[in-house]
Short mmCIF file of all heavy atoms in Angstrom, two decimals:
data_model
loop_
_atom_site.label_atom_id
_atom_site.label_comp_id
_atom_site.label_asym_id
_atom_site.label_seq_id
_atom_site.Cartn_x
_atom_site.Cartn_y
_atom_site.Cartn_z
N MET A 1 -11.45 -13.06 4.67
CA MET A 1 -10.53 -12.66 3.63
C MET A 1 -9.58 -11.67 4.30
O MET A 1 -9.91 -10.84 5.21
CB MET A 1 -11.22 -11.82 2.55
CG MET A 1 -11.62 -12.45 1.30
SD MET A 1 -10.51 -13.38 0.40
CE MET A 1 -11.55 -14.64 -0.23
N SER A 2 -8.37 -11.60 3.77
CA SER A 2 -7.44 -10.58 4.45
C SER A 2 -7.28 -9.48 3.31
O SER A 2 -7.47 -9.65 2.26
CB SER A 2 -6.04 -11.30 4.69
OG SER A 2 -5.44 -11.61 3.51
N TRP A 3 -6.92 -8.36 3.94
CA TRP A 3 -6.61 -7.08 3.16
C TRP A 3 -5.12 -6.95 3.09
O TRP A 3 -4.53 -6.99 4.20
CB TRP A 3 -7.31 -5.98 3.78
CG TRP A 3 -8.82 -6.15 3.86
CD1 TRP A 3 -9.48 -6.77 4.67
CD2 TRP A 3 -9.71 -5.40 2.92
NE1 TRP A 3 -10.81 -6.65 4.33
CE2 TRP A 3 -10.95 -5.83 3.33
CE3 TRP A 3 -9.57 -4.62 1.90
CZ2 TRP A 3 -12.04 -5.49 2.59
CZ3 TRP A 3 -10.73 -4.15 1.19
CH2 TRP A 3 -11.97 -4.65 1.54
N THR A 4 -4.73 -6.66 1.89
CA THR A 4 -3.17 -6.39 1.76
C THR A 4 -2.90 -5.36 0.78
O THR A 4 -3.73 -4.93 -0.04
CB THR A 4 -2.52 -7.78 1.18
OG1 THR A 4 -3.06 -8.11 -0.04
CG2 THR A 4 -2.53 -8.87 2.22
N TRP A 5 -1.75 -4.68 0.87
CA TRP A 5 -1.22 -3.61 -0.09
C TRP A 5 -0.29 -4.29 -1.00
O TRP A 5 0.65 -5.08 -0.59
CB TRP A 5 -0.59 -2.52 0.69
CG TRP A 5 -1.56 -1.74 1.51
CD1 TRP A 5 -1.69 -1.89 2.87
CD2 TRP A 5 -2.54 -0.87 1.10
NE1 TRP A 5 -2.75 -1.02 3.35
CE2 TRP A 5 -3.16 -0.27 2.18
CE3 TRP A 5 -2.88 -0.25 -0.22
CZ2 TRP A 5 -4.16 0.71 2.06
CZ3 TRP A 5 -3.82 0.69 -0.28
CH2 TRP A 5 -4.53 1.21 0.86
N ARG A 6 -0.37 -4.00 -2.29
CA ARG A 6 0.74 -4.24 -3.31
C ARG A 6 1.57 -2.89 -3.35
O ARG A 6 1.05 -1.95 -3.58
CB ARG A 6 0.11 -4.71 -4.59
CG ARG A 6 1.12 -4.85 -5.62
CD ARG A 6 0.34 -5.27 -7.03
NE ARG A 6 1.25 -4.92 -8.20
CZ ARG A 6 2.10 -5.72 -8.65
NH1 ARG A 6 2.28 -6.85 -8.29
NH2 ARG A 6 2.81 -5.32 -9.79
N PHE A 7 2.84 -3.15 -3.22
CA PHE A 7 3.75 -1.93 -3.33
C PHE A 7 4.25 -1.90 -4.83
O PHE A 7 4.79 -3.00 -5.26
CB PHE A 7 4.81 -2.14 -2.38
CG PHE A 7 4.36 -2.28 -0.92
CD1 PHE A 7 4.99 -3.27 -0.11
CD2 PHE A 7 3.39 -1.46 -0.32
CE1 PHE A 7 4.54 -3.41 1.09
CE2 PHE A 7 3.03 -1.70 1.02
CZ PHE A 7 3.50 -2.60 1.70
N GLU A 8 4.14 -0.81 -5.36
CA GLU A 8 4.56 -0.70 -6.78
C GLU A 8 5.58 0.53 -7.08
O GLU A 8 5.54 1.50 -6.30
CB GLU A 8 3.28 -0.52 -7.65
CG GLU A 8 2.40 -1.55 -7.70
CD GLU A 8 1.20 -1.46 -8.57
OE1 GLU A 8 0.99 -0.38 -9.05
OE2 GLU A 8 0.46 -2.48 -8.86
N THR A 9 6.18 0.38 -8.20
CA THR A 9 7.07 1.56 -8.71
C THR A 9 6.07 2.36 -9.39
O THR A 9 4.75 2.16 -9.57
CB THR A 9 8.17 0.96 -9.73
OG1 THR A 9 7.41 0.26 -10.74
CG2 THR A 9 9.07 0.09 -9.04
N GLU A 10 6.52 3.50 -9.93
CA GLU A 10 5.61 4.46 -10.62
C GLU A 10 5.03 3.90 -11.98
O GLU A 10 4.03 4.30 -12.31
CB GLU A 10 6.46 5.77 -10.94
CG GLU A 10 5.58 6.85 -11.41
CD GLU A 10 6.41 8.20 -11.37
OE1 GLU A 10 7.64 8.17 -11.14
OE2 GLU A 10 5.79 9.15 -11.87
N ASP A 11 5.70 3.00 -12.54
CA ASP A 11 5.15 2.32 -13.77
C ASP A 11 4.39 1.00 -13.43
O ASP A 11 3.91 0.44 -14.36
CB ASP A 11 6.24 2.10 -14.81
CG ASP A 11 7.32 1.02 -14.22
OD1 ASP A 11 7.12 0.46 -13.06
OD2 ASP A 11 8.21 0.72 -15.01
N GLY A 12 4.01 0.83 -12.21
CA GLY A 12 3.19 -0.33 -11.87
C GLY A 12 3.89 -1.69 -11.55
O GLY A 12 3.25 -2.60 -11.44
N GLY A 13 5.16 -1.74 -11.62
CA GLY A 13 5.95 -2.97 -11.34
C GLY A 13 5.85 -3.21 -9.82
O GLY A 13 5.95 -2.30 -8.99
N ALA A 14 5.87 -4.38 -9.50
CA ALA A 14 5.89 -4.74 -8.05
C ALA A 14 7.32 -4.46 -7.41
O ALA A 14 8.36 -4.58 -8.08
CB ALA A 14 5.69 -6.25 -7.85
N VAL A 15 7.31 -3.86 -6.23
CA VAL A 15 8.58 -3.56 -5.53
C VAL A 15 8.50 -4.01 -4.05
O VAL A 15 7.35 -4.01 -3.56
CB VAL A 15 8.75 -2.04 -5.55
CG1 VAL A 15 7.71 -1.23 -4.95
CG2 VAL A 15 10.06 -1.78 -5.07
N THR A 16 9.60 -4.46 -3.61
CA THR A 16 9.73 -4.89 -2.21
C THR A 16 10.48 -3.86 -1.46
O THR A 16 11.53 -3.38 -1.86
CB THR A 16 10.54 -6.22 -2.16
OG1 THR A 16 9.92 -7.30 -2.77
CG2 THR A 16 10.69 -6.68 -0.60
N PRO A 17 9.85 -3.13 -0.53
CA PRO A 17 10.38 -2.03 0.22
C PRO A 17 11.82 -2.41 0.64
O PRO A 17 12.02 -3.47 1.26
CB PRO A 17 9.44 -1.58 1.29
CG PRO A 17 8.25 -2.25 0.93
CD PRO A 17 8.49 -3.52 0.07
N ALA A 18 12.77 -1.47 0.46
CA ALA A 18 13.94 -1.60 1.08
C ALA A 18 13.99 -1.42 2.53
O ALA A 18 13.09 -0.89 3.11
CB ALA A 18 15.02 -0.52 0.46
N GLY A 19 14.97 -2.05 3.25
CA GLY A 19 14.97 -2.05 4.70
C GLY A 19 14.02 -3.10 5.32
O GLY A 19 13.84 -4.09 4.68
N SER A 20 13.66 -2.84 6.55
CA SER A 20 12.96 -3.86 7.20
C SER A 20 11.40 -3.56 7.36
O SER A 20 10.83 -3.96 8.40
CB SER A 20 13.53 -3.90 8.70
OG SER A 20 13.35 -2.66 9.30
N LEU A 21 10.85 -2.91 6.32
CA LEU A 21 9.45 -2.63 6.48
C LEU A 21 8.68 -3.97 6.27
O LEU A 21 8.94 -4.78 5.25
CB LEU A 21 9.06 -1.60 5.48
CG LEU A 21 9.57 -0.28 5.68
CD1 LEU A 21 9.23 0.71 4.52
CD2 LEU A 21 9.04 0.29 6.92
N PRO A 22 7.75 -4.31 7.00
CA PRO A 22 7.08 -5.57 6.98
C PRO A 22 6.01 -5.54 5.83
O PRO A 22 5.41 -4.52 5.44
CB PRO A 22 6.27 -5.70 8.35
CG PRO A 22 6.10 -4.30 8.55
CD PRO A 22 7.23 -3.61 8.18
N SER A 23 5.73 -6.66 5.30
CA SER A 23 4.53 -6.90 4.38
C SER A 23 3.40 -7.31 5.35
O SER A 23 3.44 -8.24 6.07
CB SER A 23 4.79 -8.05 3.49
OG SER A 23 3.67 -8.25 2.66
N GLU A 24 2.39 -6.52 5.44
CA GLU A 24 1.30 -6.76 6.39
C GLU A 24 0.11 -7.29 5.73
O GLU A 24 -0.25 -7.11 4.59
CB GLU A 24 0.93 -5.33 6.99
CG GLU A 24 1.99 -4.85 7.85
CD GLU A 24 2.23 -5.52 9.17
OE1 GLU A 24 1.21 -6.04 9.90
OE2 GLU A 24 3.31 -5.34 9.66
N SER A 25 -0.65 -7.99 6.49
CA SER A 25 -2.08 -8.50 6.12
C SER A 25 -3.04 -8.00 7.27
O SER A 25 -2.60 -8.09 8.43
CB SER A 25 -2.03 -10.02 6.10
OG SER A 25 -3.27 -10.51 5.80
N PHE A 26 -4.16 -7.60 6.92
CA PHE A 26 -5.09 -6.98 7.85
C PHE A 26 -6.34 -7.62 7.82
O PHE A 26 -6.93 -8.09 6.74
CB PHE A 26 -5.18 -5.56 7.53
CG PHE A 26 -3.91 -4.68 7.53
CD1 PHE A 26 -3.15 -4.71 6.35
CD2 PHE A 26 -3.42 -4.23 8.65
CE1 PHE A 26 -2.03 -4.02 6.24
CE2 PHE A 26 -2.19 -3.64 8.54
CZ PHE A 26 -1.45 -3.48 7.44
N PRO A 27 -7.14 -7.67 9.00
CA PRO A 27 -8.46 -8.31 8.93
C PRO A 27 -9.66 -7.41 8.41
O PRO A 27 -10.66 -7.94 7.97
CB PRO A 27 -8.80 -8.50 10.44
CG PRO A 27 -7.96 -7.39 11.09
CD PRO A 27 -6.73 -7.27 10.25
N THR A 28 -9.36 -6.07 8.29
CA THR A 28 -10.39 -5.28 7.65
C THR A 28 -9.77 -4.07 6.83
O THR A 28 -8.57 -3.80 6.87
CB THR A 28 -11.16 -4.56 8.89
OG1 THR A 28 -10.34 -3.50 9.46
CG2 THR A 28 -11.78 -5.34 9.87
N GLN A 29 -10.60 -3.61 5.97
CA GLN A 29 -10.11 -2.47 5.06
C GLN A 29 -9.70 -1.36 5.95
O GLN A 29 -8.66 -0.68 5.60
CB GLN A 29 -11.18 -2.03 4.05
CG GLN A 29 -10.80 -0.95 3.22
CD GLN A 29 -11.90 -0.62 2.12
OE1 GLN A 29 -12.84 -1.27 1.96
NE2 GLN A 29 -11.59 0.42 1.35
N SER A 30 -10.40 -0.94 6.85
CA SER A 30 -10.08 0.16 7.79
C SER A 30 -8.67 0.02 8.50
O SER A 30 -7.97 0.82 8.55
CB SER A 30 -11.13 0.38 8.98
OG SER A 30 -10.82 1.26 9.76
N ASP A 31 -8.41 -1.24 8.91
CA ASP A 31 -7.11 -1.53 9.52
C ASP A 31 -6.02 -1.34 8.49
O ASP A 31 -4.92 -0.77 8.81
CB ASP A 31 -7.06 -2.96 10.00
CG ASP A 31 -7.81 -3.16 11.27
OD1 ASP A 31 -8.20 -2.24 11.94
OD2 ASP A 31 -8.27 -4.31 11.55
N ALA A 32 -6.15 -1.77 7.27
CA ALA A 32 -5.16 -1.64 6.25
C ALA A 32 -4.97 -0.12 5.93
O ALA A 32 -3.81 0.24 5.75
CB ALA A 32 -5.71 -2.41 4.94
N GLU A 33 -6.05 0.63 5.72
CA GLU A 33 -5.88 1.99 5.45
C GLU A 33 -5.20 2.80 6.72
O GLU A 33 -4.39 3.64 6.37
CB GLU A 33 -7.26 2.71 5.14
CG GLU A 33 -7.85 2.02 3.82
CD GLU A 33 -9.28 2.34 3.46
OE1 GLU A 33 -9.89 2.55 4.42
OE2 GLU A 33 -9.51 2.23 2.29
N THR A 34 -5.51 2.53 7.84
CA THR A 34 -4.96 3.12 8.95
C THR A 34 -3.53 2.94 8.97
O THR A 34 -2.74 3.72 9.09
CB THR A 34 -5.66 2.57 10.31
OG1 THR A 34 -7.01 3.10 10.23
CG2 THR A 34 -4.94 3.18 11.58
N TRP A 35 -3.12 1.69 8.80
CA TRP A 35 -1.63 1.25 8.74
C TRP A 35 -0.92 2.11 7.75
O TRP A 35 0.20 2.61 7.87
CB TRP A 35 -1.62 -0.29 8.49
CG TRP A 35 -0.11 -0.68 8.26
CD1 TRP A 35 0.65 -0.92 9.42
CD2 TRP A 35 0.68 -0.89 7.16
NE1 TRP A 35 1.97 -1.37 8.99
CE2 TRP A 35 1.99 -1.25 7.56
CE3 TRP A 35 0.42 -0.81 5.94
CZ2 TRP A 35 3.00 -1.54 6.61
CZ3 TRP A 35 1.34 -0.96 4.87
CH2 TRP A 35 2.58 -1.48 5.39
N LEU A 36 -1.57 2.28 6.48
CA LEU A 36 -0.88 2.89 5.39
C LEU A 36 -0.84 4.40 5.66
O LEU A 36 0.24 4.98 5.57
CB LEU A 36 -1.74 2.75 4.08
CG LEU A 36 -1.01 3.40 2.92
CD1 LEU A 36 0.22 2.71 2.47
CD2 LEU A 36 -1.99 3.54 1.86
N GLY A 37 -1.73 5.03 6.39
CA GLY A 37 -1.60 6.39 6.83
C GLY A 37 -0.63 6.56 7.86
O GLY A 37 -0.11 7.69 7.84
N GLU A 38 -0.21 5.56 8.64
CA GLU A 38 0.87 5.74 9.63
C GLU A 38 2.17 5.47 9.00
O GLU A 38 3.17 5.96 9.51
CB GLU A 38 0.44 4.67 10.73
CG GLU A 38 -0.63 4.96 11.47
CD GLU A 38 -0.99 3.92 12.52
OE1 GLU A 38 -0.33 2.97 12.57
OE2 GLU A 38 -2.01 4.14 13.30
N ILE A 39 2.28 4.80 7.79
CA ILE A 39 3.69 4.19 7.45
C ILE A 39 3.98 4.79 5.96
O ILE A 39 4.98 4.51 5.51
CB ILE A 39 3.74 2.80 7.51
CG1 ILE A 39 5.23 2.29 7.48
CG2 ILE A 39 2.84 2.06 6.50
CD1 ILE A 39 5.42 0.83 7.91
N TRP A 40 3.09 5.47 5.45
CA TRP A 40 3.28 5.86 3.98
C TRP A 40 4.60 6.50 3.64
O TRP A 40 5.31 6.29 2.67
CB TRP A 40 2.09 6.55 3.29
CG TRP A 40 1.97 8.00 3.80
CD1 TRP A 40 1.24 8.51 4.97
CD2 TRP A 40 2.60 9.30 3.22
NE1 TRP A 40 1.37 9.80 5.08
CE2 TRP A 40 2.25 10.24 4.07
CE3 TRP A 40 3.45 9.39 2.22
CZ2 TRP A 40 2.61 11.57 3.75
CZ3 TRP A 40 3.80 10.68 1.92
CH2 TRP A 40 3.41 11.71 2.78
N GLN A 41 5.04 7.54 4.52
CA GLN A 41 6.33 8.12 4.24
C GLN A 41 7.49 7.19 4.34
O GLN A 41 8.38 7.35 3.69
CB GLN A 41 6.47 9.18 5.33
CG GLN A 41 5.52 10.36 5.13
CD GLN A 41 5.50 11.43 6.16
OE1 GLN A 41 5.66 11.14 7.34
NE2 GLN A 41 5.35 12.66 5.84
N GLU A 42 7.51 6.14 5.25
CA GLU A 42 8.50 5.19 5.37
C GLU A 42 8.44 4.37 4.04
O GLU A 42 9.64 3.98 3.45
CB GLU A 42 8.37 4.28 6.44
CG GLU A 42 8.54 5.05 7.77
CD GLU A 42 8.32 4.16 8.99
OE1 GLU A 42 8.85 3.05 9.02
OE2 GLU A 42 7.38 4.52 9.78
N LEU A 43 7.36 4.02 3.55
CA LEU A 43 7.24 3.17 2.20
C LEU A 43 7.89 4.20 1.10
O LEU A 43 8.60 3.66 0.27
CB LEU A 43 5.92 2.76 1.96
CG LEU A 43 5.11 1.84 2.89
CD1 LEU A 43 3.73 1.76 2.57
CD2 LEU A 43 5.89 0.49 2.66
N LEU A 44 7.47 5.34 1.01
CA LEU A 44 7.96 6.24 -0.07
C LEU A 44 9.49 6.36 0.12
O LEU A 44 10.22 6.21 -0.93
CB LEU A 44 7.35 7.56 0.02
CG LEU A 44 7.66 8.54 -0.98
CD1 LEU A 44 7.27 8.08 -2.43
CD2 LEU A 44 6.91 9.85 -0.78
N ALA A 45 9.99 6.54 1.30
CA ALA A 45 11.49 6.57 1.36
C ALA A 45 12.31 5.34 0.96
O ALA A 45 13.34 5.32 0.72
CB ALA A 45 11.88 6.96 2.87
N ALA A 46 11.45 4.20 1.15
CA ALA A 46 11.93 2.88 0.87
C ALA A 46 11.91 2.49 -0.68
O ALA A 46 12.07 1.33 -1.00
CB ALA A 46 11.34 1.81 1.68
N GLY A 47 11.34 3.45 -1.46
CA GLY A 47 11.25 3.12 -2.84
C GLY A 47 9.91 2.78 -3.34
O GLY A 47 9.80 2.54 -4.56
N VAL A 48 8.92 2.65 -2.48
CA VAL A 48 7.50 2.54 -3.01
C VAL A 48 7.00 3.89 -3.67
O VAL A 48 6.98 4.92 -2.83
CB VAL A 48 6.62 1.90 -1.94
CG1 VAL A 48 5.15 1.75 -2.36
CG2 VAL A 48 7.24 0.69 -1.35
N GLN A 49 6.37 3.92 -4.84
CA GLN A 49 5.87 4.98 -5.37
C GLN A 49 4.36 5.06 -5.28
O GLN A 49 3.62 6.08 -5.21
CB GLN A 49 6.30 5.20 -6.89
CG GLN A 49 7.77 5.23 -6.99
CD GLN A 49 8.25 6.47 -6.36
OE1 GLN A 49 7.86 7.62 -6.71
NE2 GLN A 49 9.23 6.30 -5.52
N GLN A 50 3.72 3.81 -5.43
CA GLN A 50 2.25 3.74 -5.38
C GLN A 50 1.84 2.43 -4.67
O GLN A 50 2.68 1.52 -4.68
CB GLN A 50 1.69 4.01 -6.67
CG GLN A 50 2.05 2.92 -7.74
CD GLN A 50 1.69 3.25 -9.13
OE1 GLN A 50 1.43 4.44 -9.33
NE2 GLN A 50 1.51 2.18 -10.04
N VAL A 51 0.45 2.30 -4.22
CA VAL A 51 0.13 1.09 -3.64
C VAL A 51 -1.30 0.79 -4.32
O VAL A 51 -2.09 1.70 -4.76
CB VAL A 51 -0.06 1.29 -2.18
CG1 VAL A 51 1.24 1.47 -1.55
CG2 VAL A 51 -0.96 2.44 -1.80
N VAL A 52 -1.59 -0.51 -4.09
CA VAL A 52 -2.91 -1.06 -4.55
C VAL A 52 -3.52 -1.92 -3.46
O VAL A 52 -2.75 -2.71 -2.85
CB VAL A 52 -2.78 -1.96 -5.86
CG1 VAL A 52 -4.11 -2.49 -6.27
CG2 VAL A 52 -2.15 -1.13 -6.99
N LEU A 53 -4.71 -1.58 -3.11
CA LEU A 53 -5.35 -2.46 -2.07
C LEU A 53 -6.20 -3.63 -2.64
O LEU A 53 -6.84 -3.54 -3.63
CB LEU A 53 -6.32 -1.48 -1.19
CG LEU A 53 -6.92 -2.28 -0.05
CD1 LEU A 53 -5.93 -2.62 1.00
CD2 LEU A 53 -7.98 -1.38 0.53
N HIS A 54 -5.82 -4.84 -1.94
CA HIS A 54 -6.43 -5.99 -2.42
C HIS A 54 -7.23 -6.68 -1.21
O HIS A 54 -6.72 -6.65 -0.01
CB HIS A 54 -5.37 -7.05 -2.88
CG HIS A 54 -4.84 -6.70 -4.09
ND1 HIS A 54 -5.29 -7.22 -5.33
CD2 HIS A 54 -3.77 -5.93 -4.51
CE1 HIS A 54 -4.53 -6.70 -6.40
NE2 HIS A 54 -3.61 -5.95 -5.89
N GLU A 55 -8.27 -7.19 -1.50
CA GLU A 55 -9.04 -8.15 -0.58
C GLU A 55 -8.93 -9.66 -1.10
O GLU A 55 -9.62 -9.73 -2.10
CB GLU A 55 -10.48 -7.66 -0.37
CG GLU A 55 -11.25 -8.59 0.66
CD GLU A 55 -12.69 -8.28 0.72
OE1 GLU A 55 -13.31 -7.81 -0.25
OE2 GLU A 55 -13.34 -8.66 1.72
N GLY A 56 -8.09 -10.41 -0.58
CA GLY A 56 -7.76 -11.65 -1.14
C GLY A 56 -7.18 -11.43 -2.55
O GLY A 56 -6.16 -10.77 -2.68
N ASP A 57 -7.80 -11.93 -3.60
CA ASP A 57 -7.28 -11.78 -4.93
C ASP A 57 -8.00 -10.61 -5.68
O ASP A 57 -7.58 -10.33 -6.76
CB ASP A 57 -7.56 -13.07 -5.70
CG ASP A 57 -6.69 -14.19 -5.18
OD1 ASP A 57 -5.58 -13.94 -4.61
OD2 ASP A 57 -7.11 -15.34 -5.48
N ARG A 58 -8.90 -10.03 -5.04
CA ARG A 58 -9.69 -8.81 -5.64
C ARG A 58 -9.01 -7.62 -5.40
O ARG A 58 -8.69 -7.17 -4.16
CB ARG A 58 -11.08 -8.98 -5.06
CG ARG A 58 -11.96 -7.80 -5.73
CD ARG A 58 -13.42 -8.04 -5.14
NE ARG A 58 -13.50 -7.53 -3.69
CZ ARG A 58 -13.68 -6.27 -3.38
NH1 ARG A 58 -13.92 -5.32 -4.25
NH2 ARG A 58 -13.65 -5.93 -2.07
N ARG A 59 -8.87 -6.87 -6.47
CA ARG A 59 -8.27 -5.40 -6.43
C ARG A 59 -9.48 -4.52 -6.04
O ARG A 59 -10.51 -4.54 -6.54
CB ARG A 59 -7.73 -4.86 -7.85
CG ARG A 59 -7.32 -3.52 -7.74
CD ARG A 59 -7.05 -3.00 -9.06
NE ARG A 59 -5.68 -3.31 -9.35
CZ ARG A 59 -4.81 -2.68 -10.17
NH1 ARG A 59 -5.48 -1.81 -11.13
NH2 ARG A 59 -3.71 -2.99 -10.37
N VAL A 60 -9.25 -3.91 -4.93
CA VAL A 60 -10.33 -2.98 -4.40
C VAL A 60 -10.04 -1.57 -4.89
O VAL A 60 -11.05 -1.01 -5.44
CB VAL A 60 -10.20 -2.81 -2.87
CG1 VAL A 60 -11.22 -1.97 -2.27
CG2 VAL A 60 -10.39 -4.31 -2.18
N TYR A 61 -8.98 -0.95 -4.76
CA TYR A 61 -8.57 0.13 -5.53
C TYR A 61 -7.05 0.45 -5.72
O TYR A 61 -6.28 -0.26 -5.04
CB TYR A 61 -9.27 1.48 -4.78
CG TYR A 61 -8.79 1.73 -3.45
CD1 TYR A 61 -7.53 2.38 -3.14
CD2 TYR A 61 -9.66 1.38 -2.32
CE1 TYR A 61 -7.23 2.62 -1.97
CE2 TYR A 61 -9.13 1.72 -1.07
CZ TYR A 61 -8.02 2.29 -0.75
OH TYR A 61 -7.54 2.61 0.45
N GLY A 62 -6.93 1.44 -6.54
CA GLY A 62 -5.49 1.63 -6.88
C GLY A 62 -5.21 1.56 -8.34
O GLY A 62 -6.04 1.05 -8.98
N PRO A 63 -4.03 2.08 -8.74
CA PRO A 63 -3.05 2.39 -7.92
C PRO A 63 -3.21 3.84 -7.25
O PRO A 63 -3.84 4.57 -7.92
CB PRO A 63 -1.71 2.40 -8.90
CG PRO A 63 -2.35 2.67 -10.23
CD PRO A 63 -3.71 1.92 -10.18
N MET A 64 -2.74 4.01 -6.19
CA MET A 64 -2.79 5.24 -5.30
C MET A 64 -1.36 5.75 -5.18
O MET A 64 -0.55 5.06 -4.47
CB MET A 64 -3.57 5.06 -4.16
CG MET A 64 -3.69 6.39 -3.39
SD MET A 64 -4.72 6.18 -1.80
CE MET A 64 -3.74 5.01 -0.90
N SER A 65 -1.00 6.93 -5.53
CA SER A 65 0.39 7.40 -5.50
C SER A 65 0.60 7.75 -4.00
O SER A 65 -0.29 8.29 -3.16
CB SER A 65 0.45 8.70 -6.38
OG SER A 65 1.78 9.30 -6.00
N LEU A 66 1.75 7.60 -3.54
CA LEU A 66 2.26 8.05 -2.21
C LEU A 66 2.89 9.37 -2.27
O LEU A 66 3.19 9.94 -1.19
CB LEU A 66 3.27 7.00 -1.57
CG LEU A 66 2.78 5.64 -1.42
CD1 LEU A 66 3.75 4.74 -0.78
CD2 LEU A 66 1.50 5.66 -0.48
N ARG A 67 3.01 9.91 -3.35
CA ARG A 67 3.65 11.32 -3.57
C ARG A 67 2.50 12.30 -3.24
O ARG A 67 1.42 12.14 -3.71
CB ARG A 67 4.27 11.53 -4.92
CG ARG A 67 5.41 10.53 -5.16
CD ARG A 67 5.96 10.84 -6.52
NE ARG A 67 7.20 10.07 -6.66
CZ ARG A 67 8.42 10.45 -6.69
NH1 ARG A 67 8.72 11.80 -6.26
NH2 ARG A 67 9.51 9.70 -6.84
N SER A 68 2.92 13.45 -2.74
CA SER A 68 2.03 14.54 -2.43
C SER A 68 1.73 15.25 -3.78
O SER A 68 2.68 15.29 -4.62
CB SER A 68 2.49 15.49 -1.49
OG SER A 68 3.66 16.13 -1.79
N VAL A 69 0.50 15.75 -3.95
CA VAL A 69 0.25 16.53 -5.09
C VAL A 69 0.66 18.05 -4.78
O VAL A 69 0.14 18.55 -3.94
CB VAL A 69 -1.33 16.47 -5.30
CG1 VAL A 69 -1.75 17.35 -6.51
CG2 VAL A 69 -1.80 15.04 -5.52
N ASP A 70 1.48 18.57 -5.71
CA ASP A 70 1.99 19.85 -5.56
C ASP A 70 1.17 20.88 -6.25
O ASP A 70 0.60 20.64 -7.40
CB ASP A 70 3.52 20.00 -5.89
CG ASP A 70 4.29 19.13 -5.09
OD1 ASP A 70 4.03 19.08 -3.87
OD2 ASP A 70 5.28 18.63 -5.47
#
């Protein structure tokens, strides 16, 4: 199974990041989470407000906001 992120607006609608940010597929959950940790600010700047992690068709967790808690 591959691990993927669904990119969403604040209300849960699917969003495709603006610009040239890739849609990635990962072999492990750890790889997916590491990638998100490295690129989350770029995703936020590209219009992604929250993410959901999937393993194949199964939702693992989320939505998880990319905005910092103030």
